[in-house]
Amino acid sequence: MTTAARTTRPAIRFRGRSFMALVLAPEPPITDWLAELDAQIQRSPAFFQGRPVVVDLSALPMRKQDLSALIEDLQQRDIRLIGIEGADPSWLGSEAWGLPPMMTGSRPAGLIEVPDGAQAAVASAEPRPAASLLLDRPVRSGQSVIFPEGDVTVVGSVASGAEIIAGGSIHVYGTLRGRAIAGSTGNGRARIFCRKLEAELLAIDGLYKTADDMEPKLRGRAVQAWLDGDAMVLAALD
């Protein structure tokens, strides 16, 4: 009598996790909407970099062929699409058309005010004190802090899935796991400082590095980032 060998494998564990995505809601006429989108990108070139985006079609009746053209227009603008909302339910399975998947069940998270780089170009006749924003608590996953007027200082950590967008420099006196976008209004002299680097993305004045582009030896260390010409430089502070 032989006994069959039985291999026990650990059970697969499933974990829920929420990720933040922007929702673009095109409105007719689509040519005018795309022109306004181009103007917004011109004012804040770094705003869409690395951001997942969902397209909401509820205000834009269209055929599937028209949607393909819209998706191509957005991709040409380096907008990273992860899904479609508000489309005809009969379009289920649209992935076969080369389109992003249909998404349902989303919950609104409020409007995000896009920083306007053009505002920084208006110089005042009288000097004004530099503006700054101090956050005395951590920035949680899903939160977006936008302060185009100047520097942002976080006395704590920035969680994965959170982001800080500042017109000036960004100082994080904790672990930076999310996204830090400095110099969003065209300030190439802005810098990013953090006590511990675990960032998903760093950007300064339109130039950016993702986690894959950062040197492994800098992960987990105190780091500063700045621009040297057309390149972003990262260096350890300790």
Side-chain angles (χ1 to χ4, degrees):
M1 180 176 180
T2 60
T3 302
R6 300 180 63 182
T7 303
T8 59
R9 297 180 178 178
I12 298 176
R13 296 181 179 180
F14 296 90
R15 295 180 179 177
R17 182 170 295 178
S18 298
F19 293 89
M20 183 177 63
L22 289 176
V23 176
L24 281 178
E27 299 177 357
I30 192 63
T31 53
D32 293 348
W33 183 84
L34 287 171
E36 179 57 32
L37 179 63
D38 288 336
Q40 184 62 71
I41 293 174
Q42 182 69 26
R43 292 192 295 268
S44 184
F47 186 73
F48 288 104
Q49 288 176 352
R51 288 175 180 256
V53 175
V54 174
V55 179
D56 182 358
L57 302 176
S58 56
L60 193 68
M62 57 168 43
R63 300 171 301 171
K64 189 179 289 188
Q65 294 86 342
D66 298 329
L67 174 59
S68 298
L70 173 62
I71 298 302
E72 183 177 352
D73 287 335
L74 296 175
Q75 290 175 339
Q76 289 176 353
R77 291 162 172 81
D78 294 326
I79 295 177
R80 183 161 60 96
L81 301 175
I82 63 169
I84 302 170
E85 274 192 327
D88 190 323
S90 66
W91 292 5
L92 287 172
S94 59
E95 295 88 341
W97 289 63
L99 302 177
M102 301 274 287
M103 303 184 71
T104 59
S106 65
R107 291 178 297 175
L111 295 175
I112 295 178
E113 183 178 350
V114 182
D116 189 348
Q119 294 175 354
V122 180
S124 174
E126 298 181 0
R128 295 178 298 174
S132 62
L133 174 65
L134 174 64
L135 303 175
D136 59 359
R137 64 189 63 186
V139 181
R140 299 188 302 273
S141 179
Q143 288 186 312
S144 181
V145 177
I146 302 177
F147 188 72
E149 289 83 5
D151 295 358
V152 173
T153 299
V154 181
V155 183
S157 297
V158 179
S160 176
E163 66 179 359
I164 307 292
I165 302 176
S169 297
I170 296 175
H171 309 257
V172 179
Y173 290 95
T175 302
L176 173 56
R177 294 189 177 92
R179 299 157 43 97
I181 301 172
S184 64
T185 56
N187 181 2
R189 300 181 63 184
R191 297 197 176 205
I192 299 172
F193 303 86
C194 66
R195 179 69 60 86
K196 185 177 181 181
L197 177 68
E198 299 289 347
E200 299 164 0
L201 178 140
L202 301 178
I204 301 175
D205 190 22
L207 297 177
Y208 66 95
K209 282 183 179 288
T210 63
D212 294 337
D213 300 326
M214 301 174 197
E215 296 184 49
K217 67 180 182 180
L218 296 177
R219 307 292 292 184
R221 301 181 64 182
V223 167
Q224 69 165 317
W226 71 94
L227 295 185
D228 184 4
D230 293 329
M232 183 185 296
V233 180
L234 274 66
L237 288 170
D238 51 14

